[in-house]
Amino acid sequence: MTRRDVFLRVEQVWEVEARQGGADGTAGIFQFTSEQEARDFVERCKVGPWDWRDLTEITRREEAG
């Protein structure tokens, strides 16, 4: 099984970073004009036989630090 990470963030546009194989694997960054388009893409990335963990709350706690 290969590790897969999907990050959703917003700056001036909505951006999704999809990474396969951990930090040394391959990655792509995709930009969207709306939150819904970006979230739909995230859902399409979350395919496979494994369970996904939502780390949103963990990263928010670290940012608030």
Side-chain angles (χ1 to χ4, degrees):
M1 179 185 318
T2 303
R3 177 180 167 167
R4 295 180 78 190
D5 301 308
V6 179
F7 302 94
L8 173 63
R9 55 184 167 253
V10 63
E11 298 279 334
Q12 295 166 346
V13 295
W14 285 90
E15 193 171 85
V16 176
E17 180 180 350
R19 188 184 306 163
Q20 184 169 343
D24 295 329
T26 58
I29 297 176
F30 306 87
Q31 295 183 336
F32 301 90
T33 56
S34 75
E35 178 180 2
Q36 189 59 53
E37 288 177 314
R39 289 189 179 276
D40 289 346
F41 185 79
V42 166
E43 290 304 313
R44 289 194 303 274
C45 289
K46 292 168 48 178
V47 297
W50 45 81
D51 293 327
W52 285 86
R53 293 183 299 160
D54 185 342
L55 303 177
T56 304
E57 291 304 316
I58 292 171
T59 56
R60 284 186 180 153
R61 278 187 253 138
E62 289 175 358
E63 290 172 359

